[in-house]
Amino acid sequence: MAGAANLSLHAPPTSFLLLGFLGLENAQTWLSMPFCLVYALALLGNATLLWVIWTESSLHQPMHLFLSILALTDMAMPTCILPKMLGIFWANAREVTFAACLVQMFLVHAISAVESGTLTAMAYDRYVAICDPLGYATLLTPKTVVKFGAAIVIRAFVVVLPIPLLLLRLRFCHSRNISHTYCEHMALVKLACGNTTPNNLYGLVAALLVTGGDLTFIFISYGLILRTVFHLPSSEARHKALGTCGAHVGVIFILYTPGLFSFLSHRFGHNIPHSVHIFLANFYLLVPSMLNPMVYGAKTKEIRVRVLMALGLQSRRF
């Protein structure tokens, strides 16, 4: 009997309870409305972006192929989170099985890593296009883009897989209640008893490897781009070169700024209300998925014209 009791202490729980926005339970029906709008716009905007790139042969270029990968991740991310969140808001369906929780957590972190890697590949694309335009067609062939895409996905899988595996070694003896709207790594670690140092350290190392490494590469790429642009002979050429980077820079700020703020507030903002932490985490994951296709639609002439044509608002003239 003692052996069975000891075994049960080490066995993972069968399920957890997602509590949603603590302290705002009475407002969750109203909160669901903007989240539904974000989800609908994210799916519509990114599906439109994929359709335009697929049907317009002039957009079958490396930058737009990377943009297709970004659009797919921007459809996958809210789909991983929002259905369960809306179930909490509308039907009080808070319970999630341990296995489903680990799968959701893996997908959320893996998709984030794929999105970050895609933005890094797009920064390399802009670097080659501006700093080595004569070698662009040789360096960035469709086969190279496929290799980049495969490497980005493999990296995400390899880096993120240890996170759920490390959770399997823990005992969850404090509570089954996750103070969040989805299964998030640190929220689960806080429920564990025993030594959670490996989980904390690996979570930090993974964030530094992926986000830190990607941001470093992006900053170096744009430093070299700016150096090249400022040596161009005319202001018109400089303006045109920078214009090709506008949408990408906008998306970088949209993704990384709230993500960095959420990361720092989660670890150092101990006086910030918990509901604010949860809101920031959801904002970081959901809102960029809605805004990214809008930014590229506004900044990329070919995409903008193709959408206006589909709506009957413009004739085919690029």
Side-chain angles (χ1 to χ4, degrees):
M1 291 294 291
N6 187 53
L7 182 62
S8 65
L9 285 174
H10 289 270
T14 57
S15 64
F16 291 105
L17 294 177
L18 293 167
L19 301 184
F21 288 91
L22 287 175
L24 299 175
E25 289 82 1
N26 294 331
Q28 288 189 151
T29 301
W30 294 102
L31 283 172
S32 69
M33 295 180 184
F35 283 117
C36 282
L37 179 62
V38 167
Y39 190 28
L41 290 176
L43 293 182
L44 177 62
N46 287 289
T48 301
L49 200 59
L50 287 170
W51 171 75
V52 169
I53 294 171
W54 179 264
T55 58
E56 185 58 55
S57 58
S58 65
L59 297 178
H60 294 174
Q61 301 296 325
M63 184 64 171
H64 298 103
L65 296 178
F66 287 132
L67 182 55
S68 297
I69 300 174
L70 187 66
L72 288 172
T73 64
D74 284 339
M75 295 175 74
M77 181 62 80
T79 302
C80 286
I81 296 173
L82 271 168
K84 183 61 181 178
M85 186 192 304
L86 295 177
I88 296 170
F89 290 166
W90 293 341
N92 201 34
R94 301 176 184 276
E95 190 168 15
V96 58
T97 65
F98 182 68
C101 195
L102 292 185
V103 169
Q104 185 189 51
M105 184 188 62
F106 173 81
L107 289 174
V108 166
H109 291 297
I111 293 170
S112 294
V114 171
E115 188 168 34
S116 180
T118 303
L119 289 177
T120 305
M122 294 167 82
Y124 176 71
D125 174 275
R126 292 300 84 199
Y127 162 75
V128 176
I130 293 173
C131 299
D132 187 16
L134 296 179
Y136 183 82
T138 303
L139 292 172
L140 282 166
T141 63
K143 185 179 292 187
T144 305
V145 174
V146 172
K147 290 179 179 179
F148 265 116
I152 289 167
V153 173
I154 292 170
R155 183 193 70 160
F157 181 86
V158 170
V159 171
V160 176
L161 184 60
I163 293 177
L165 294 180
L166 284 170
L167 283 169
L168 289 173
R169 56 177 280 278
L170 296 177
R171 292 184 295 121
F172 296 89
C173 53
H174 291 318
S175 172
R176 292 197 308 134
N177 298 334
I178 301 175
S179 301
H180 220 301
T181 56
Y182 62 90
C183 291
E184 196 267 338
H185 177 226
M186 292 309 299
L188 277 172
V189 170
K190 289 178 180 178
L191 300 182
C193 52
N195 183 17
T196 61
T197 300
N199 302 75
N200 291 317
L201 284 178
Y202 188 79
L204 184 61
V205 168
L208 291 174
L209 283 175
V210 175
T211 306
D214 289 349
L215 276 175
T216 300
F217 185 90
I218 289 170
F219 283 138
I220 292 173
S221 298
Y222 273 96
L224 296 172
I225 287 171
L226 289 174
R227 187 182 68 176
T228 301
V229 167
F230 289 138
H231 283 85
L232 292 176
S234 68
S235 60
E236 182 180 352
R238 290 193 292 270
H239 179 76
K240 183 177 180 180
L242 290 175
T244 64
C245 302
H248 184 240
V249 172
V251 168
I252 289 171
F253 277 105
I254 288 171
L255 177 67
Y256 286 115
T257 302
L260 182 62
F261 189 71
S262 176
F263 177 83
L264 293 175
S265 67
H266 187 80
R267 281 165 173 77
F268 305 109
H270 302 297
N271 295 324
I272 299 176
H274 189 69
S275 58
V276 175
H277 286 294
I278 298 175
F279 176 80
L280 287 173
N282 284 283
F283 183 94
Y284 157 59
L285 293 178
L286 300 176
V287 173
S289 297
M290 175 189 70
L291 294 180
N292 290 348
M294 297 181 185
V295 171
Y296 272 99
K299 290 288 187 178
T300 307
K301 181 180 179 181
E302 294 85 354
I303 294 174
R304 183 173 66 252
V305 170
R306 191 71 176 84
V307 172
L308 292 174
M309 283 172 50
L311 296 174
L313 300 177
Q314 184 167 325
S315 59
R316 187 180 180 86
R317 289 181 183 177
F318 285 3

